[in-house]
Amino acid sequence: AKESSVKDEL
Amino acid sequence: MNIFRLAGDMTHLFSVLVLLLKIYATKSCSGISLKTQELYALVFLTRYLDLFTDFISVYNSVMKVVFISSSVAIVWCMRYHPLTRRTYDKDLDTFRHYILVGVSIILALLFHDRFTFREVFWAFSIYLEAVAILPQLVLLQRSGNVDNLTGQYVFFLGAYRAFYILNWIYRYFTENHYSRWISWLAGFVQTALYADFFYYYFVSWKNNAKLQLPA
């Protein structure tokens, strides 16, 4: 699954 | 993307716009800590390393460019711009901010998600952002009266991370295996550091008085 990492945040 | 995160990003963007307005409108950066601006420029430069490698969304990339360019521009303005640099409170802005950088580097080397170049830099930027406001808060206490725009700048800068905490709580309940203790812990510390500022800001707003931080 796509790693819903916090890295998609600013 | 959820409403808390969007509110957080917009509040953060607004704080940058208020700071730019303050410097441009008053042609002065008195009351602004150059050290906090330098720390924030470092935070964005080390956090957005993936700007050219990973494309997440137009919004994400545009906001990264805005934050990097505005923070670098403000540092340049306060250091080199012939007009504004003279208004910088050099002798009041004496916080030894390189200590904050050093501690953040050590923390990032000790605590990170994965021991990779990008992850360690990302953790460094999270830890550094948590304490980046300290020179600014110290300068506000020293410089006594705080002009409205500077007060609003710090207020919105503190409020944005509070929205992010709501965003992390929301994501925790809506996404599986979403646990980012580094962001949560650092975000909590960051927001807590503003606690007394928020208190005095609220008091000054309630009494419709000038914002005064106790020395």
Side-chain angles (χ1 to χ4, degrees):
Chain A
K2 176 182 171 305
E3 185 208 34
S4 76
S5 78
V6 76
K7 308 302 187 294
D8 63 353
E9 293 176 345
L10 290 170
Chain B
M1 172 62 81
N2 60 66
I3 185 65
F4 301 111
R5 200 168 115 204
L6 184 63
D9 290 341
M10 290 304 107
T11 305
H12 190 191
L13 179 65
F14 192 66
S15 76
V16 169
L17 295 178
V18 166
L19 179 57
L20 288 169
L21 174 69
K22 180 249 175 343
I23 293 176
Y24 178 74
T26 65
K27 288 284 181 287
S28 151
C29 51
S30 68
I32 302 296
S33 163
L34 170 61
K35 304 196 174 200
T36 286
Q37 299 311 314
E38 288 169 344
L39 292 180
Y40 257 97
L42 190 57
V43 163
F44 294 134
L45 289 170
T46 52
R47 185 177 305 175
Y48 300 151
L49 295 172
D50 61 346
L51 177 60
F52 302 111
T53 54
D54 299 356
F55 177 77
I56 294 172
S57 70
V58 173
Y59 170 81
N60 190 275
S61 301
V62 166
M63 292 296 275
K64 286 176 177 175
V65 169
V66 166
F67 286 138
I68 290 176
S69 49
S70 58
S71 58
V72 170
I74 287 167
V75 168
W76 179 84
C77 234
M78 295 183 72
R79 272 185 171 277
Y80 306 111
H81 189 288
L83 284 181
T84 37
R85 65 191 292 264
R86 278 204 309 271
T87 62
Y88 165 46
D89 306 317
K90 194 176 178 59
D91 49 359
L92 283 178
D93 192 16
T94 57
F95 196 101
R96 287 189 292 279
H97 61 324
Y98 50 83
I99 296 176
L100 300 177
V101 174
V103 169
S104 302
I105 291 173
I106 294 167
L107 280 176
L109 290 171
L110 290 175
F111 307 108
H112 41 261
D113 287 336
R114 286 190 302 280
F115 193 69
T116 64
F117 183 77
R118 246 192 67 190
E119 288 290 339
V120 172
F121 266 70
W122 178 83
F124 164 74
S125 82
I126 292 289
Y127 298 135
L128 187 60
E129 187 188 3
V131 293
I133 196 62
L134 283 172
Q136 179 63 61
L137 292 178
V138 167
L139 179 58
L140 289 187
Q141 281 178 337
R142 286 189 183 150
S143 57
N145 70 322
V146 179
D147 71 69
N148 289 345
L149 285 172
T150 305
Q152 279 152 8
Y153 161 66
V154 176
F155 173 77
F156 288 117
L157 195 54
Y160 113 83
R161 213 63 182 165
F163 279 120
Y164 255 75
I165 291 175
L166 297 179
N167 152 63
W168 291 322
I169 294 170
Y170 174 84
R171 289 187 80 171
Y172 177 81
F173 288 113
T174 54
E175 291 173 30
N176 54 359
H177 78 277
Y178 184 79
S179 82
R180 293 289 172 193
W181 58 275
I182 290 181
S183 299
W184 293 353
L185 212 62
F188 181 76
V189 166
Q190 180 171 338
T191 308
L193 285 176
Y194 285 82
D196 70 331
F197 175 84
F198 283 147
Y199 169 72
Y200 290 110
Y201 191 82
F202 174 71
V203 165
S204 79
W205 171 77
K206 199 157 63 72
N207 303 340
N208 198 11
K210 200 90 170 115
L211 176 61
Q212 289 284 336
L213 292 182

